Amino acid sequence: MTRIAPAQYAPDVAVSPGETIRETLVSMGMTQAELAQRMGRPPTKVNELIQGKTAVTVEAALALENILPYPASFWLNL
């Protein structure tokens, strides 16, 4: 039997972590303030993350993993 290696996924459009967080919050009916509270972070820091003013750190990715339906690796790879 012949095995075929899966092709690497190479999207032609880049989506920022902040845009993905924003869209996920909308679909879950959650506010940025609620996300900040659940992450244990100030709302201003969460807003900076969503606006793309700060990068997703390992700590932030792990916090997002516990709240949103995506693993930490997803957030770090964006």
Side-chain angles (χ1 to χ4, degrees):
M1 178 157 81
T2 303
R3 290 189 174 193
I4 299 174
Q8 290 290 334
Y9 177 67
D12 58 354
V13 176
V15 179
S16 70
E19 184 177 343
T20 304
I21 293 169
R22 186 181 311 109
E23 289 176 1
T24 304
L25 290 177
V26 168
S27 71
M28 294 177 68
M30 186 184 304
T31 65
Q32 286 186 31
E34 184 179 352
L35 177 63
Q37 181 180 24
R38 293 178 69 179
M39 289 179 74
R41 296 174 182 263
T44 54
K45 294 296 181 186
V46 171
N47 185 263
E48 288 174 0
L49 182 64
I50 290 172
Q51 294 297 321
K53 295 179 181 176
T54 60
V56 177
T57 63
V58 172
E59 288 177 343
L62 290 171
L64 290 169
E65 176 181 66
N66 290 324
I67 301 162
L68 303 179
Y70 302 104
S73 60
F74 172 82
W75 299 111
L76 294 171
N77 286 325
L78 285 178

